[in-house]
Amino acid sequence: MEAAWAGLVRYLRASPTDVVVLPEMPFCEWEMFRHRSVDLAAWRAALSAHDAMMPRLAELETRLVLSSRPVEVQDKRLNQAFSWTRTGGYRGARAKYYLPDEPDGWEASWFERGDREFSPQAAGPVRVGFQLCTELLFSHAAWEIGHGGGQLIAAPRATGGHRRWSMAACLAAIMAGCFVASTNRRSYESDAFAGRSWLVSPEGEILVETSADSPFQTAEVDFSAVDQARLTYPRNLIIP
């Protein structure tokens, strides 16, 4: 992780950008979630790892960081989306609602359900909605974000390489009429996480895609495309 972080810092120094989207819970190991029983020592280590990295977000040459992290609120373990801005610091958002419970991640065993509503929120100058990993597969969530005025869906992931993920990102963009940035973990010693992060246009076109050889990608977007997309099919349908 430290080597990847250093690479990202170098990349952004050479190519500063306005918005950075990181993968799902990027600062802890995932192996603990492959055990169904909750290891409280591992949980506390995951909390500490993310606590330690929050101040280091300032090392990134960006105005806005979007991701998720483990938190504990009123004795409930949650996977919480967040935004970070250089001027306002950390701000928690909605917590993950759709939680898988299978060998690749016993998330429903580790986490409490979060928020069923997918309303976007202001994050700096951008209205952002979050669909965390599995949530990207639920198109009604993207519809809700779009009708709430979202301009960008941040969809941090920890997934394999099945085509469902790129298809879901494109459908979310089409349903919401906004941009989708879906970022994934990458494994280099196993095939657990496939990488492949995308930025998708409001019309469902993949604008940029990362790879093992090109782990960071930047694109310039015009949010007026969101306003135009909202006037067209299928975003202009009236749903009773």
Side-chain angles (χ1 to χ4, degrees):
M1 190 277 290
E2 192 62 38
W5 180 259
L8 179 58
V9 170
R10 287 194 301 271
Y11 175 85
L12 290 172
R13 285 176 180 167
S15 305
T17 189
D18 294 306
V19 183
V20 171
V21 185
L22 299 176
E24 186 176 24
M25 296 189 291
F27 303 126
C28 67
E29 296 294 336
W30 194 265
E31 186 60 32
M32 64 183 185
F33 301 123
R34 294 198 172 98
H35 301 276
R36 196 165 198 168
S37 58
V38 176
D39 182 337
L40 291 179
W43 171 253
R44 287 190 290 269
L47 294 177
S48 296
H50 282 81
D51 287 343
M53 289 301 296
M54 292 301 104
R56 295 187 62 186
L57 296 177
E59 297 174 16
L60 303 179
E61 290 295 330
T62 186
R63 298 180 183 180
L64 173 62
V65 179
L66 305 169
S67 186
S68 80
R69 60 155 296 168
V71 299
E72 194 164 317
V73 179
Q74 297 178 343
D75 296 325
K76 292 183 177 181
R77 294 184 298 272
L78 300 170
N79 179 358
Q80 185 183 61
F82 73 85
S83 62
W84 175 93
T85 62
R86 193 164 295 279
T87 54
Y90 179 91
R91 181 186 178 191
R94 58 175 301 277
K96 190 173 182 178
Y97 180 79
Y98 292 104
L99 299 169
D101 216 27
E102 55 184 49
D104 284 341
W106 298 101
E107 295 180 51
S109 298
W110 279 78
F111 296 99
E112 298 285 343
R113 280 185 184 272
D115 307 294
R116 191 169 188 173
E117 287 76 29
F118 287 82
S119 302
Q121 68 176 42
V126 185
R127 285 193 60 79
V128 177
F130 290 93
Q131 289 179 262
L132 303 182
C133 199
T134 297
E135 295 178 333
L136 190 59
L137 303 176
F138 292 82
S139 58
H140 73 274
W143 181 268
E144 186 175 333
I145 291 169
H147 275 252
Q151 297 170 296
L152 172 68
I153 293 174
R157 304 181 349 260
T159 75
H162 195 282
R163 64 177 183 168
R164 69 169 68 93
W165 298 109
S166 59
M167 294 170 67
C170 293
L171 181 58
I174 292 168
M175 292 296 291
C178 65
F179 292 93
V180 174
S182 184
T183 50
N184 194 20
R185 287 172 170 249
R186 178 176 291 279
S187 302
Y188 289 91
E189 297 177 357
S190 72
D191 60 356
F193 303 120
R196 298 190 67 199
S197 301
W198 309 285
L199 178 66
V200 184
S201 79
E203 297 302 332
E205 300 167 342
I206 294 178
L207 303 176
V208 293
E209 178 177 346
T210 66
S211 66
D213 294 330
S214 185
F216 313 118
Q217 290 284 352
T218 301
E220 186 171 336
V221 302
D222 182 354
F223 282 122
S224 68
V226 173
D227 299 327
Q228 296 167 11
R230 296 275 160 74
L231 301 176
T232 63
Y233 178 87
R235 284 76 53 144
N236 60 355
L237 294 179
I238 298 174
I239 306 298

